[in-house]
Amino acid sequence: MGDFQEFGDVVQEVRGALNPGRLKLQSNNIMFKNLKTGKVDQYPGTDVDKAQWLKRARGYCLKFVLNSGTIHRYDGFKDTEFEKLAAFISKFYMVSLEKRDISVKGWNWGMAQFTGNGLEFDVDNKLAFEVPLNFVSHTTTSKQEVTLEFHPNDDAAVSLTELRFHIPPDPKDQEKDPVNEFYENVLDKADIIQATGDALAVFTEVQCLTPRGRYDFKIYQTFLQLHGKTFDYKIPYTTVLRLFLLPHKDQRQMFFVISLDPPIKQGQTRYHFCILLFNKDDEMTLELGLSEEDLEKKYEGKLQKEMNGPEYEIISRVFKAVTNRKITVPGSFVGNTGNKSISCSYKAATGFLYPLERGFIFVHKPPMHIRFDEVSQVNFARSAGTNRSFDFEVETRSGTSYTFVGIEKDEYGKLYDFVSSKKLSVKNIGGPKKSNYTDDIVDSDDEQDTHDAYLERMKAEGKDRFSGDEDDDSDSSDVSYDPDAAEASDVAEEYDSNPPTSSDSSDSEYSGSNDDEESDDGSGTDAEERRIKRKKEKEEKKKKKKSKSAKTVPEKLPGSSKKKEKKKKKKEKKDPNAPKRPQTAYFLWFNSHREEIKTENPGLSITELSKKAGEMWRDLGDEDKKQWNEKAAEAKVEYEKAMEEYLANKKESDSEDEEETGTSEKKKKKKSPGKSPKKSVSDSRAGAGANYKSKEFIESSGSASSGLDSDDEPLKKKVKKESKRRRNKNDDDDDKSSSVGELPEDEEILSSPEHSGKSGEESD
């Protein structure tokens, strides 16, 4: 048996609600941490007067009664844990753990006994129920009855508000009044606030942000009274959870925050925090209403009879002494502007977010305190509609999410470093196992920040966000404009299932320039009718295009081609003949020790094997790594030599390939002077003799076709102009007349124009 016992699934009863927490029994003290509020109750083990083991509907209850009369109950134990607890309590606390039977008769009459700060109701010497008197808010008497009223609890599903006891007179002692005796015992142990005596200190006209207004703070020994123009509040010190002293961002004011559980109530409104605002320059002198001896005895020298200083400092010292709570101040976090807070908004209200050592606190509307032990994960998100700020989301284990918006992007680095140092889980990033704040029962602000891998994760996150920007641009739900695709669709529609020939698609200006050639054909009227018919077909096609899509094809943007090239960029194929890169010293060592590691650590997966090898390589000394580094250097030298030979051979082969491709392209140019698109030999409408041309005509037309790539005129018109110029040249030069029907060496059958009767007669 060790010197401590810890139980994680234990609940504590607080005003009808069962609050989960962790109970730790140590050799010298007992601690319980409330997971809901984070409050830690601690008391010495030597103060335990009784320890009882009670049966509950589900499990068992461990009950401690202290010498001061305070009772602590913890439910959720199992029957098998009794022996272990009994041995531990008897060894270290010097008391025996006794089992107590519970009455299940259901009778409503019995004996009432006052034990500690509780009222026990027994039936046949067995406990029927017990009432914690510190939860009683008011008590009254009438004839033979005593009425108890309890503090309501908003967290409890069902709350007990009132309980009445009928107390009959004692026939043996007529002079004794049992009702008044019962009432006095309840009044002595109950948590009833009575403003008796003078106040310890009074602070007048203190500015409060929550509840809003100016109040007079009257400090009594057991409670605090807030006196305003409209409302009055009484706050017992036992309901104070935490105290915060926070600097305002303007460096001229201070917030003093009082966390309360249960909250103060005003109608249906609940105030879980009381926030005071002070100016740093305001000073005061306070004289307490107790003597020096009483102050020394009761508050152990924490307060003096007369105190001078800034107003916020005086009131914080008084609250710390009377509530016996620590004051929490901002820790190591410093924002981009040098302040301890970050300006942001929660819902529609602006305020300040303070990253503390053990949580976050937001002031002031609505004020909230989020502890690290209840945080499930945090997230950094983009703000809607602007790039100058970001949102900070905090998600708790209970499923509640808090989103703080409008944080300046300059604060991102500082806040991310702080979250990383506290080992909080960041959404969509992952990372190492975060610190389990739930297991830490002791209130400690010490943090061991030994993790340094988040720098690489921040870089990776930046890359992911950058790539995410590009994906958002490309994968838009709207129709993205793609000029190349628009041109392709235009081409597909222009050359549809029955594409016209080049002569059919010629415009009126082209036909107008060739009127002399058309008139020679002798069918000018037919040609005119065909042109009119083609114009009508074009207009109908244009109307169909507009009806199919309302999107018009705009001009090609200057940067669109680059974007497409970037999108369609493919990875170059690796040459199999190229020499392989040399292995590093680590991989040379790993390949030689792979089997040895497998035999020493059987059952490892591939990733676990690599991780184990990496750890072993890291633990090697410089002398052990020296031989592998030398082998890696030798392999690198050999790789460089092989690479030089490979590049030299590659240049020679590339030059030979270029010469071969150049000669083949020249032959192709000689053979193919240029063809009209989608025009076959069978489409020629001229006679058979029109397909045979003189050698001079073919050479000249071939040279002319070489300029087609840079010219916008159609091939048909080019051929007509060349043939016309060639005919004039043949008339002047009689020595170079071509023989009819003779085929040249580089013969090519060209597709004849539609009206080529003139050229056909000349060739004949």
Side-chain angles (χ1 to χ4, degrees):
M1 183 176 59
D3 58 350
F4 73 93
Q5 296 287 337
E6 190 169 351
F7 305 92
D9 298 329
V10 177
V11 293
Q12 183 185 33
E13 181 189 351
V14 180
R15 298 193 311 276
L18 299 178
N19 296 329
R22 299 181 64 86
L23 177 66
K24 189 174 184 179
L25 305 179
Q26 294 181 333
S27 58
N28 55 352
N29 58 10
I30 301 171
M31 291 185 295
F32 179 81
K33 181 176 182 180
N34 191 330
L35 297 182
K36 175 183 173 293
T37 60
K39 182 180 178 182
V40 177
D41 294 328
Q42 183 175 355
Y43 45 92
T46 55
D47 289 352
V48 177
D49 185 30
K50 293 181 182 180
Q52 296 178 352
W53 185 260
L54 306 175
K55 174 67 177 173
R56 290 288 191 247
R58 295 180 180 177
Y60 289 82
C61 171
L62 178 62
K63 176 181 175 181
F64 289 113
V65 181
L66 305 185
N67 296 327
S68 60
T70 306
I71 299 175
H72 298 277
R73 302 172 192 81
Y74 307 105
D75 292 357
F77 291 94
K78 299 177 182 179
D79 189 17
T80 56
E81 295 172 337
F82 174 79
E83 298 295 336
K84 181 173 62 174
L85 282 170
F88 185 88
I89 291 172
S90 62
K91 178 180 179 181
F92 293 104
Y93 304 151
M94 304 302 176
V95 293
S96 60
L97 181 61
E98 57 177 331
K99 289 185 178 181
R100 189 167 183 186
D101 296 331
I102 303 296
S103 175
V104 292
K105 286 187 176 182
W107 294 357
N108 60 348
W109 65 89
M111 295 292 295
Q113 297 181 0
F114 292 91
T115 304
N117 63 348
L119 169 63
E120 296 180 353
F121 191 81
D122 296 340
V123 176
D124 287 346
N125 296 325
K126 293 182 180 180
L127 180 65
F129 63 88
E130 54 185 340
V131 179
L133 294 179
N134 57 333
F135 298 155
V136 176
S137 62
H138 189 59
T139 180
T140 57
T141 61
S142 60
K143 295 183 180 180
Q144 302 297 322
E145 289 185 354
V146 176
T147 303
L148 307 182
E149 296 179 7
F150 299 92
H151 290 291
N153 187 5
D154 296 334
D155 296 331
V158 179
S159 296
L160 178 64
T161 58
E162 186 178 283
L163 184 63
R164 293 183 182 181
F165 292 93
H166 176 78
I167 305 172
D170 188 2
K172 297 180 180 180
D173 192 357
Q174 298 291 337
E175 297 180 357
K176 185 178 179 181
D177 188 2
V179 175
N180 188 49
E181 184 179 353
F182 189 96
Y183 172 76
E184 292 294 336
N185 286 326
V186 172
L187 196 63
D188 184 40
K189 306 290 177 63
D191 185 19
I192 300 175
I193 299 175
Q194 295 179 347
T196 57
D198 296 334
L200 179 65
V202 178
F203 300 91
T204 59
E205 295 293 323
V206 177
Q207 182 181 357
C208 290
L209 301 180
T210 304
R212 189 174 180 181
R214 289 188 175 272
Y215 292 86
D216 293 340
F217 278 68
K218 296 181 180 180
I219 310 295
Y220 291 90
Q221 294 185 9
T222 58
F223 69 95
L224 163 69
Q225 182 180 6
L226 275 68
H227 177 69
K229 294 181 179 179
T230 308
F231 302 108
D232 284 355
Y233 303 100
K234 293 180 180 179
I235 306 173
Y237 295 143
T238 55
T239 64
V240 176
L241 284 181
R242 293 177 183 84
L243 302 174
F244 300 92
L245 187 61
L246 309 171
H248 197 281
K249 197 168 185 178
D250 60 4
Q251 301 296 327
R252 294 180 297 176
Q253 295 174 313
M254 296 290 292
F255 292 110
F256 185 68
V257 183
I258 306 170
S259 176
L260 303 173
D261 184 47
I264 56 178
K265 305 176 183 65
Q266 181 58 48
Q268 297 298 323
T269 307
R270 302 290 186 267
Y271 298 105
H272 293 272
F273 293 88
C274 184
I275 302 179
L276 316 181
L277 184 63
F278 300 97
N279 292 322
K280 280 188 174 181
D281 299 335
D282 293 345
E283 296 190 358
M284 67 175 299
T285 299
L286 178 66
E287 185 174 353
L288 300 180
L290 293 178
S291 62
E292 290 285 353
E293 296 178 357
D294 294 338
L295 291 174
E296 182 68 27
K297 181 180 179 181
K298 189 171 183 62
Y299 300 108
E300 300 176 355
K302 297 178 182 178
L303 298 176
Q304 289 78 33
K305 177 70 175 176
E306 184 175 346
M307 294 187 293
N308 299 319
E311 190 173 0
Y312 71 89
E313 185 178 339
I314 297 297
I315 197 169
S316 60
R317 288 176 58 189
V318 172
F319 267 89
K320 182 180 179 181
V322 296
T323 61
N324 199 21
R325 297 289 180 189
K326 296 180 181 179
I327 296 179
T328 304
V329 296
S332 59
F333 176 80
V334 179
N336 186 60
T337 57
N339 296 317
K340 298 289 186 178
S341 62
I342 297 174
S343 299
C344 60
S345 299
Y346 179 76
K347 295 183 179 178
T350 59
F352 304 104
L353 180 66
Y354 292 85
L356 307 176
E357 292 299 318
R358 305 288 292 182
F360 299 101
I361 185 170
F362 178 79
V363 291
H364 74 95
K365 192 176 182 179
M368 63 185 71
H369 179 232
I370 308 170
R371 305 187 315 277
F372 289 160
D373 56 6
E374 61 180 349
V375 173
S376 172
Q377 61 184 1
V378 298
N379 182 33
F380 296 86
R382 295 178 181 174
S383 292
T386 179
N387 293 327
R388 297 183 179 180
S389 61
F390 66 95
D391 298 347
F392 182 61
E393 301 173 357
V394 181
E395 186 174 340
T396 61
R397 299 179 186 273
S398 61
T400 308
S401 181
Y402 303 92
T403 303
F404 304 97
V405 302
I407 304 176
E408 295 182 1
K409 65 179 182 180
D410 296 336
E411 303 285 357
Y412 173 77
K414 300 286 186 179
L415 185 58
Y416 192 93
D417 291 341
F418 176 81
V419 170
S420 303
S421 65
K422 299 305 177 185
K423 299 180 178 60
L424 297 178
S425 176
V426 181
K427 190 176 182 180
N428 295 333
I429 291 184
K433 183 179 179 182
K434 79 180 204 67
S435 297
N436 194 347
Y437 291 92
T438 307
D439 296 338
D440 187 9
I441 293 182
V442 182
D443 282 336
S444 175
D445 294 337
D446 298 335
E447 296 288 343
Q448 295 180 356
D449 188 9
T450 57
H451 183 260
D452 59 350
Y454 268 94
L455 182 60
E456 288 77 13
R457 296 199 174 275
M458 284 181 64
K459 294 178 181 178
E461 183 197 22
K463 292 180 181 179
D464 293 341
R465 291 195 175 186
F466 180 76
S467 61
D469 293 344
E470 293 182 348
D471 294 340
D472 292 342
D473 294 339
S474 60
D475 298 335
S476 177
S477 60
D478 297 332
V479 178
S480 301
Y481 168 63
D482 191 351
D484 294 334
E487 286 186 357
S489 63
D490 189 30
V491 171
E493 291 175 354
E494 184 176 352
Y495 298 102
D496 215 344
S497 60
N498 232 340
T501 60
S502 58
S503 61
D504 293 337
S505 60
S506 60
D507 293 332
S508 59
E509 60 175 334
Y510 296 145
S511 60
S513 62
N514 298 329
D515 286 342
D516 54 341
E517 298 175 13
E518 291 176 0
S519 61
D520 293 339
D521 185 56
S523 57
T525 56
D526 295 337
E528 191 69 16
E529 289 176 0
R530 284 195 297 271
R531 281 197 296 273
I532 294 170
K533 187 177 180 180
R534 284 195 297 271
K535 285 183 180 179
K536 290 181 180 179
E537 290 176 356
K538 282 186 179 181
E539 291 175 358
E540 290 177 0
K541 283 186 178 181
K542 287 181 180 178
K543 289 179 181 179
K544 287 182 180 179
K545 285 182 185 178
K546 292 182 180 179
S547 63
K548 282 181 182 178
S549 174
K551 181 184 70 174
T552 59
V553 181
E555 295 180 0
K556 191 171 182 178
L557 299 177
S560 60
S561 61
K562 294 182 180 179
K563 187 175 180 181
K564 188 169 183 181
E565 288 175 3
K566 184 178 179 181
K567 194 180 290 185
K568 289 190 175 182
K569 188 176 180 181
K570 295 182 179 179
K571 189 176 180 181
E572 296 181 358
K573 292 184 179 179
K574 190 174 181 181
D575 189 357
N577 299 325
K580 294 183 179 180
R581 290 183 177 273
Q583 290 184 335
T584 60
Y586 165 71
F587 280 105
L588 292 172
W589 171 85
F590 182 41
N591 291 334
S592 62
H593 291 76
R594 185 190 300 270
E595 298 300 329
E596 182 181 348
I597 298 173
K598 281 184 179 180
T599 54
E600 292 178 358
N601 303 276
L604 290 180
S605 62
I606 297 175
T607 55
E608 293 173 348
L609 181 65
S610 302
K611 186 176 180 182
K612 181 68 177 177
E615 294 174 355
M616 294 175 65
W617 173 257
R618 231 178 3 250
D619 296 338
L620 287 178
D622 295 337
E623 296 181 358
D624 297 332
K625 292 182 180 180
K626 185 177 180 181
Q627 57 173 333
W628 303 106
N629 290 329
E630 292 175 355
K631 289 181 180 180
E634 293 175 359
K636 186 176 181 181
V637 172
E638 294 177 359
Y639 167 74
E640 291 175 353
K641 291 181 180 179
M643 196 66 182
E644 290 177 359
E645 296 177 0
Y646 165 73
L647 293 175
N649 297 333
K650 188 178 180 182
K651 287 181 180 179
E652 294 178 0
S653 61
D654 291 345
S655 61
E656 292 176 359
D657 293 341
E658 288 177 0
E659 291 178 359
E660 292 177 0
T661 54
T663 54
S664 61
E665 285 177 359
K666 286 180 181 178
K667 289 180 181 180
K668 287 181 181 179
K669 285 182 180 179
K670 287 181 180 180
K671 289 183 179 181
S672 56
K675 298 181 181 180
S676 61
K678 297 188 180 181
K679 183 74 174 179
S680 62
V681 179
S682 61
D683 291 335
S684 177
R685 298 190 180 100
N691 293 331
Y692 299 94
K693 303 298 178 184
S694 63
K695 186 175 182 179
E696 291 85 357
F697 176 77
I698 293 171
E699 289 176 353
S700 62
S701 62
S703 62
S705 63
S706 62
L708 278 173
D709 297 336
S710 61
D711 203 340
D712 294 337
E713 293 184 357
L715 178 62
K716 197 78 174 182
K717 187 175 178 182
K718 280 275 186 181
V719 175
K720 288 180 179 181
K721 287 184 178 181
E722 288 294 332
S723 62
K724 199 171 186 179
R725 189 167 62 250
R726 180 55 58 191
R727 286 197 301 272
N728 295 333
K729 186 175 181 182
N730 290 339
D731 293 340
D732 297 337
D733 193 2
D734 297 333
D735 297 334
K736 296 181 179 180
S737 60
S738 61
S739 60
V740 180
E742 184 179 355
L743 293 176
E745 295 177 0
D746 299 330
E747 179 190 3
E748 179 67 24
I749 299 175
L750 299 177
S751 56
S752 175
E754 183 178 355
H755 305 291
S756 58
K758 203 168 189 178
S759 60
E761 291 173 1
E762 283 185 16
S763 62
D764 290 336

